[in-house]
Short mmCIF file of all heavy atoms in Angstrom, two decimals:
data_model
loop_
_atom_site.label_atom_id
_atom_site.label_comp_id
_atom_site.label_asym_id
_atom_site.label_seq_id
_atom_site.Cartn_x
_atom_site.Cartn_y
_atom_site.Cartn_z
N ARG A 1 20.37 57.93 -189.95
CA ARG A 1 20.39 58.54 -188.61
C ARG A 1 21.38 57.75 -187.75
O ARG A 1 21.38 56.47 -187.83
CB ARG A 1 19.01 58.64 -187.93
CG ARG A 1 18.08 59.56 -188.61
CD ARG A 1 16.77 59.56 -187.93
NE ARG A 1 16.82 59.88 -186.53
CZ ARG A 1 16.60 59.13 -185.54
NH1 ARG A 1 16.01 57.84 -185.81
NH2 ARG A 1 16.57 59.45 -184.30
N VAL A 2 22.17 58.50 -187.00
CA VAL A 2 23.09 57.87 -186.01
C VAL A 2 22.80 58.46 -184.64
O VAL A 2 22.77 59.71 -184.52
CB VAL A 2 24.53 58.09 -186.41
CG1 VAL A 2 25.51 57.52 -185.35
CG2 VAL A 2 24.81 57.41 -187.82
N ILE A 3 22.63 57.62 -183.61
CA ILE A 3 22.49 58.12 -182.28
C ILE A 3 23.44 57.39 -181.35
O ILE A 3 23.87 56.25 -181.70
CB ILE A 3 21.08 58.01 -181.79
CG1 ILE A 3 20.67 56.49 -181.66
CG2 ILE A 3 20.07 58.81 -182.63
CD1 ILE A 3 19.30 56.37 -181.04
N ASP A 4 23.69 58.00 -180.18
CA ASP A 4 24.58 57.23 -179.26
C ASP A 4 23.74 56.79 -178.05
O ASP A 4 22.52 56.78 -178.08
CB ASP A 4 25.68 58.21 -178.70
CG ASP A 4 25.12 59.50 -178.01
OD1 ASP A 4 23.86 59.52 -177.91
OD2 ASP A 4 25.83 60.25 -177.63
N ARG A 5 24.46 56.15 -177.11
CA ARG A 5 23.78 55.53 -175.96
C ARG A 5 22.87 56.56 -175.17
O ARG A 5 21.74 56.26 -174.76
CB ARG A 5 24.86 54.90 -174.96
CG ARG A 5 24.27 54.20 -173.83
CD ARG A 5 25.34 53.72 -172.90
NE ARG A 5 24.85 53.13 -171.67
CZ ARG A 5 24.54 51.90 -171.52
NH1 ARG A 5 24.72 51.03 -172.61
NH2 ARG A 5 24.11 51.38 -170.34
N THR A 6 23.44 57.82 -174.96
CA THR A 6 22.65 58.75 -174.18
C THR A 6 21.39 59.10 -174.94
O THR A 6 20.31 59.24 -174.28
CB THR A 6 23.56 60.01 -174.02
OG1 THR A 6 24.71 59.66 -173.24
CG2 THR A 6 22.73 61.11 -173.35
N SER A 7 21.45 59.36 -176.23
CA SER A 7 20.23 59.68 -177.01
C SER A 7 19.21 58.56 -176.92
O SER A 7 18.02 58.80 -176.83
CB SER A 7 20.58 59.97 -178.47
OG SER A 7 21.43 61.08 -178.54
N LEU A 8 19.67 57.29 -176.93
CA LEU A 8 18.83 56.21 -176.88
C LEU A 8 18.07 56.15 -175.48
O LEU A 8 16.80 55.88 -175.42
CB LEU A 8 19.53 54.86 -177.14
CG LEU A 8 18.76 53.56 -177.05
CD1 LEU A 8 17.59 53.58 -178.07
CD2 LEU A 8 19.64 52.43 -177.18
N ILE A 9 18.75 56.31 -174.45
CA ILE A 9 18.20 56.29 -173.11
C ILE A 9 17.17 57.42 -172.95
O ILE A 9 16.05 57.24 -172.39
CB ILE A 9 19.27 56.38 -172.03
CG1 ILE A 9 20.09 55.04 -172.10
CG2 ILE A 9 18.67 56.55 -170.64
CD1 ILE A 9 21.31 55.07 -171.13
N LEU A 10 17.51 58.59 -173.44
CA LEU A 10 16.60 59.73 -173.39
C LEU A 10 15.31 59.42 -174.18
O LEU A 10 14.16 59.83 -173.70
CB LEU A 10 17.23 60.99 -173.95
CG LEU A 10 18.29 61.57 -173.15
CD1 LEU A 10 19.07 62.69 -173.76
CD2 LEU A 10 17.85 62.09 -171.75
N ASP A 11 15.50 58.75 -175.31
CA ASP A 11 14.26 58.49 -176.10
C ASP A 11 13.35 57.43 -175.33
O ASP A 11 12.11 57.52 -175.42
CB ASP A 11 14.70 57.80 -177.43
CG ASP A 11 13.59 57.75 -178.37
OD1 ASP A 11 13.17 58.72 -178.91
OD2 ASP A 11 13.13 56.56 -178.70
N ILE A 12 13.96 56.53 -174.68
CA ILE A 12 13.10 55.54 -173.85
C ILE A 12 12.49 56.25 -172.69
O ILE A 12 11.27 56.00 -172.46
CB ILE A 12 14.05 54.39 -173.36
CG1 ILE A 12 14.70 53.54 -174.51
CG2 ILE A 12 13.35 53.44 -172.38
CD1 ILE A 12 15.69 52.55 -174.14
N PHE A 13 13.11 57.08 -172.06
CA PHE A 13 12.60 57.92 -170.97
C PHE A 13 11.37 58.65 -171.46
O PHE A 13 10.30 58.82 -170.80
CB PHE A 13 13.58 58.83 -170.32
CG PHE A 13 14.27 58.17 -169.19
CD1 PHE A 13 15.01 57.02 -169.34
CD2 PHE A 13 14.24 58.77 -167.96
CE1 PHE A 13 15.70 56.46 -168.32
CE2 PHE A 13 14.98 58.16 -166.88
CZ PHE A 13 15.65 57.03 -167.03
N ALA A 14 11.48 59.24 -172.74
CA ALA A 14 10.35 60.00 -173.29
C ALA A 14 9.18 59.11 -173.54
O ALA A 14 8.04 59.52 -173.48
CB ALA A 14 10.88 60.69 -174.60
N LEU A 15 9.44 57.84 -173.97
CA LEU A 15 8.32 56.97 -174.27
C LEU A 15 7.67 56.50 -172.96
O LEU A 15 6.41 56.25 -172.97
CB LEU A 15 8.91 55.66 -174.94
CG LEU A 15 9.31 55.90 -176.39
CD1 LEU A 15 9.91 54.57 -176.92
CD2 LEU A 15 8.14 56.19 -177.28
N ARG A 16 8.40 56.40 -171.86
CA ARG A 16 7.91 55.82 -170.63
C ARG A 16 7.21 56.91 -169.71
O ARG A 16 6.39 56.49 -168.80
CB ARG A 16 8.98 55.09 -169.91
CG ARG A 16 9.56 53.93 -170.59
CD ARG A 16 8.78 52.71 -170.59
NE ARG A 16 9.51 51.59 -171.08
CZ ARG A 16 9.52 51.16 -172.31
NH1 ARG A 16 8.82 51.94 -173.21
NH2 ARG A 16 10.26 50.20 -172.73
N ALA A 17 7.59 58.14 -169.80
CA ALA A 17 7.09 59.11 -168.86
C ALA A 17 5.65 59.23 -168.99
O ALA A 17 5.01 59.36 -170.08
CB ALA A 17 7.77 60.47 -169.12
N GLN A 18 4.94 59.32 -167.78
CA GLN A 18 3.50 59.30 -167.79
C GLN A 18 2.95 60.57 -167.04
O GLN A 18 2.13 61.25 -167.52
CB GLN A 18 2.92 58.09 -166.97
CG GLN A 18 3.24 56.74 -167.78
CD GLN A 18 2.53 56.71 -169.07
OE1 GLN A 18 1.35 57.16 -169.23
NE2 GLN A 18 3.12 56.11 -170.08
N SER A 19 3.66 60.90 -165.86
CA SER A 19 3.17 62.04 -165.11
C SER A 19 3.66 63.37 -165.80
O SER A 19 4.65 63.33 -166.62
CB SER A 19 3.68 62.01 -163.71
OG SER A 19 5.04 62.16 -163.67
N SER A 20 2.92 64.53 -165.46
CA SER A 20 3.32 65.74 -165.98
C SER A 20 4.79 66.13 -165.57
O SER A 20 5.62 66.72 -166.36
CB SER A 20 2.43 66.86 -165.59
OG SER A 20 2.38 66.97 -164.14
N GLU A 21 5.20 65.85 -164.30
CA GLU A 21 6.53 66.15 -163.81
C GLU A 21 7.49 65.24 -164.58
O GLU A 21 8.65 65.72 -165.02
CB GLU A 21 6.59 65.82 -162.24
CG GLU A 21 7.98 66.19 -161.77
CD GLU A 21 8.05 65.97 -160.22
OE1 GLU A 21 7.16 65.29 -159.71
OE2 GLU A 21 9.02 66.38 -159.58
N GLY A 22 7.33 64.02 -164.72
CA GLY A 22 8.13 63.09 -165.47
C GLY A 22 8.38 63.55 -166.96
O GLY A 22 9.51 63.63 -167.40
N LYS A 23 7.30 64.06 -167.56
CA LYS A 23 7.49 64.47 -168.93
C LYS A 23 8.35 65.86 -169.00
O LYS A 23 9.17 65.99 -169.91
CB LYS A 23 6.14 64.83 -169.54
CG LYS A 23 5.35 63.53 -169.84
CD LYS A 23 3.92 63.84 -170.33
CE LYS A 23 3.13 62.55 -170.52
NZ LYS A 23 1.74 62.85 -170.99
N LEU A 24 8.21 66.71 -167.98
CA LEU A 24 8.95 67.94 -167.93
C LEU A 24 10.38 67.58 -167.66
O LEU A 24 11.29 68.21 -168.27
CB LEU A 24 8.48 68.90 -166.88
CG LEU A 24 7.06 69.51 -167.00
CD1 LEU A 24 6.72 70.31 -165.82
CD2 LEU A 24 7.14 70.50 -168.20
N GLN A 25 10.73 66.69 -166.79
CA GLN A 25 12.08 66.30 -166.51
C GLN A 25 12.74 65.65 -167.78
O GLN A 25 13.95 65.94 -168.02
CB GLN A 25 12.08 65.32 -165.34
CG GLN A 25 11.71 65.82 -163.93
CD GLN A 25 11.51 64.83 -162.92
OE1 GLN A 25 11.02 63.73 -163.17
NE2 GLN A 25 11.86 65.15 -161.70
N VAL A 26 12.03 64.87 -168.47
CA VAL A 26 12.60 64.21 -169.66
C VAL A 26 12.89 65.23 -170.75
O VAL A 26 13.95 65.28 -171.36
CB VAL A 26 11.68 63.08 -170.22
CG1 VAL A 26 12.19 62.58 -171.50
CG2 VAL A 26 11.65 61.92 -169.20
#
């Protein structure tokens, strides 16, 4: 698998999101 910087940041955001709004945004 190969990912770029954007995909990595999105993955971190998905791990950190706690609220329902945050999860929807991510």
Side-chain angles (χ1 to χ4, degrees):
R1 290 179 60 242
V2 176
I3 64 173
D4 60 3
R5 180 185 177 88
T6 297
S7 298
L8 177 61
I9 293 176
L10 289 173
D11 191 73
I12 296 173
F13 270 57
L15 288 173
R16 300 280 191 270
Q18 298 295 324
S19 69
S20 58
E21 183 180 10
K23 292 176 181 179
L24 290 176
Q25 290 170 325
V26 172

